[in-house]
Amino acid sequence: EYTASQEYVLYNGVDTLKFFNKSNAKNDIFTIGCIGNFVESKGQHILIKSAQRILESGRRIRLIFIGSGPNLSSCQDYVINNNLSTYISFEPEIPHEALNEFYNSIELFVLPSYYEALGCVYLEAWATNTPFIAVKGQGIAELAPHADKMLSDANNVKDLTEKIYYFMDNEFVLDSVKNLDINKTISQFLSLDFFKYYD
């Protein structure tokens, strides 16, 4: 018979020796980064349309995508066909050890994925003190410290745009990620008498 006392949630952790804030100077243009496989559920097309709305309003931003996948070409075509290439770029996958520099080079990380257990990219951004926007109802929603600002409705260009505007227009200090340091999460898990239920 199952009881709640028999479960333990082991969240993804982040290696804070590899991902940390470098206090880089701000960009002249507000820069958003997105890392992820180009598949429908990751929502890159929603982010592109949100960036398009912001640009059409007269505000300037830069959006940098890193990744590959089956939807990459359609996203690239949309950017080209809508004359957005000056502000939206696509970069190939980069070595994992280079990601810390990338997070530190942007003002905001956005991955509007609507099918995400707990994306490590959010934690990596968090460890560098880079604010991020995710989607409501996904794994990161349980941990996001400012859900009203950092979580967008799934597949909702208008809501995502409003969330991005908030970070463009306000100074924002992200709470520490120290409770999700992978060394702490693993050691806490290993200290559990987890297997006593199977004796």
Side-chain angles (χ1 to χ4, degrees), residues 131-143:
F132 62 88
I133 297 176
V135 168
K136 295 174 183 175
Q138 307 309 300
I140 192 64
E142 298 177 23
L143 303 172

Side-chain angles (χ1 to χ4, degrees), residues 11 16 36 40 54 85 91 104 106 121 128 156 166 180:
Y11 290 107
T16 55
E40 188 70 21
I54 294 169
S85 299
E91 306 292 340
N104 275 279
I106 60 178
V121 288
T128 67
N156 190 319
Y166 174 83
L180 294 168

Side-chain angles (χ1 to χ4, degrees), residues 4 15-16 25 35 88 104 106 111 121 125 129 176 179 188 191-192:
D15 188 341
T16 55
I35 302 171
I88 302 177
N104 275 279
I106 60 178
L111 181 63
V121 288
N129 293 344
S176 172
N179 291 335
Q188 289 168 359
S191 70
L192 294 172

Side-chain angles (χ1 to χ4, degrees), residues 124-194:
E124 291 167 357
W126 192 349
T128 67
N129 293 344
T130 303
F132 62 88
I133 297 176
V135 168
K136 295 174 183 175
Q138 307 309 300
I140 192 64
E142 298 177 23
L143 303 172
H146 303 278
D148 59 323
K149 301 172 181 68
M150 300 173 73
L151 300 177
S152 175
D153 294 333
N155 288 312
N156 190 319
V157 174
K158 181 177 183 293
D159 187 54
L160 180 58
T161 303
E162 290 172 355
K163 296 293 192 298
I164 293 172
Y165 274 136
Y166 174 83
F167 289 99
M168 293 178 70
D169 295 335
N170 295 277
E171 288 292 326
F172 184 83
V173 178
L174 190 57
D175 301 335
S176 172
V177 74
K178 63 183 178 182
N179 291 335
L180 294 168
D181 183 317
I182 195 167
N183 293 310
K184 293 181 180 177
T185 59
I186 293 297
S187 62
Q188 289 168 359
F189 178 73
L190 293 177
S191 70
L192 294 172
D193 189 11
F194 189 71

